[in-house]
Structure formats: structure tokens, C-alpha cells
């Protein structure tokens, strides 16, 4: 399986550990340190040394882990949990075309917190928010100018 296919398996079951571990095995074969992050995240307890190592790996590699989402994300505000994107902060200078091009991006499936507070224009934000890949979002922060335009709009979460 390709990396994209493995990410799509995770997108179908975003919080199931099995596809995450399969992906970690794939990454380990490539020598990617994200494999270690995913594997350690599956453990119930970690030593202080392991926690420091995790933090160091995430700080070093998280920008690369955003992949194509880097075009729309604020890397400083976006966070990873267990090797997967947990909080996505949209960049204030993100281009509408870039936002709309993410409609089939499997990396969005693990996002639980979405901060779109810097985006004032409701279009294309409304279209972006209607993506099924954002079904795991449980917290959404919007700019006040965008809230009224999205009222009553059906969202997948």
C-alpha cells in the first residue's frame, strides 16, 4: 500500500489504532521518526525521557507532517497528538484555492479542533467546512464576520 492509501484507511477510521499501527509500520520501513511517535502514543504510560523524546520529534518534524496542509495551516498553532494532526489553525494568508483544494485530504480526518478565526471571508470557508473529512471536528472557532454567513449551513460535524 502507498502512504496515501494508508492515510485514507486512517481517514475511514480516524481513531481506530489498527490502521494507525499499520501506517507506523510503513513509516518505520522508511526510517521516518513519526513511526516511533505513533507507536509510543499507543502505550498507556511513558517515562519522562520518552515524553521528552516525543516532544522533540514532534517539534522537529511536525511541519513536514502537515504535507499539503502546509498551504493552509499555521504551523506554529497547529498541533499533533500521537503523530496525527489534532488541532488545525488555518493561516490568515491562506488562498481560497488552496483551501478548496483540500477537499479530499485524508490528513484532515484526525482534526478535532479547527481554528478558522483569522479567516473573515465566509467563502470558501463554508465550502471547506462542509467536507466529510472534517467529521471528527468537535470544536470550531470562527471569526465573527464569518459566523453570520455560516448560520444555518449544514456542516458534517
Amino acid at each position: 500500500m502507498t502512504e496515501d492509501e494508508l492515510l485514507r484507511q486512517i481517514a475511514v477510521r480516524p481513531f481506530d489504532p489498527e490502521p494507525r499501527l499499520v501506517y507506523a509500520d510503513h513509516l518505520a520501513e522508511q526510517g521516518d521518526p513519526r513511526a516511533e511517535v505513533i507507536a509510543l502514543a499507543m502505550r498507556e504510560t511513558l517515562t519522562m525521557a520518552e515524553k521528552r523524546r516525543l516532544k522533540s520529534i514532534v517539534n522537529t518534524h511536525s511541519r513536514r507532517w502537515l504535507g499539503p496542509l502546509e498551504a493552509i495551516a499555521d504551523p506554529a498553532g497547529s498541533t499533533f497528538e500521537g503523530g496525527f494532526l489534532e488541532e488545525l489553525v488555518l493561516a490568515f494568508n491562506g488562498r481560497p484555492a488552496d483551501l478548496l483544494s483540500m477537499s479530499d485530504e485524508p490528513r484532515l480526518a484526525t482534526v478535532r479542533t479547527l481554528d478558522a478565526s483569522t479567516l473573515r471571508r465566509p467563502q470558501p470557508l463554508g465550502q471547506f467546512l462542509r467536507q466529510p473529512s472534517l467529521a471528527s471536528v468537535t470544536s470550531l472557532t470562527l471569526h465573527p464576520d464569518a459566523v453570520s454567513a455560516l448560520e444555518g449551513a449544514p456542516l458534517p460535524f
Side-chain angles (χ1 to χ4, degrees):
M1 278 189 157
T2 68
E3 181 170 0
D4 195 53
E5 290 169 331
L6 292 168
L7 286 169
R8 292 197 188 287
Q9 290 293 317
I10 293 167
V12 171
R13 302 181 324 213
F15 302 103
D16 181 348
E18 185 180 328
R20 288 176 178 231
L21 290 172
V22 171
Y23 183 57
D25 288 343
H26 168 78
L27 293 174
E29 290 171 4
Q30 312 302 316
D32 191 321
R34 188 174 180 187
E36 182 180 358
V37 173
I38 295 167
L40 285 173
M42 299 295 169
R43 293 185 28 207
E44 289 188 30
T45 58
L46 298 175
T47 66
M48 286 306 290
E50 289 169 331
K51 289 177 184 178
R52 282 192 297 273
R53 175 139 174 79
L54 279 178
K55 186 176 181 178
S56 174
I57 293 170
V58 171
N59 288 341
T60 303
H61 299 282
S62 62
R63 188 174 196 125
R64 181 175 55 84
W65 295 345
L66 284 170
L69 293 176
E70 188 174 6
I72 62 167
D74 172 2
S78 300
T79 60
F80 284 79
E81 184 67 37
F84 295 91
L85 189 59
E86 171 86 10
E87 179 177 2
L88 174 61
V89 177
L90 296 177
F92 76 94
N93 61 346
R95 297 178 334 160
D98 290 336
L99 200 60
L100 293 176
S101 73
M102 300 299 155
S103 64
D104 194 30
E105 177 49 56
R107 287 170 180 84
L108 291 171
T110 59
V111 174
R112 290 191 182 188
T113 302
L114 179 62
D115 183 338
S117 62
T118 61
L119 300 179
R120 298 172 189 232
R121 293 172 285 159
Q123 288 295 358
L125 183 58
Q127 288 175 275
F128 177 72
L129 293 175
R130 289 179 186 86
Q131 296 178 61
S133 57
L134 290 172
S136 297
V137 171
T138 58
S139 175
L140 173 63
T141 304
L142 295 171
H143 189 279
D145 292 347
V147 172
S148 61
L150 295 174
E151 285 186 82
L155 297 175
F157 48 89

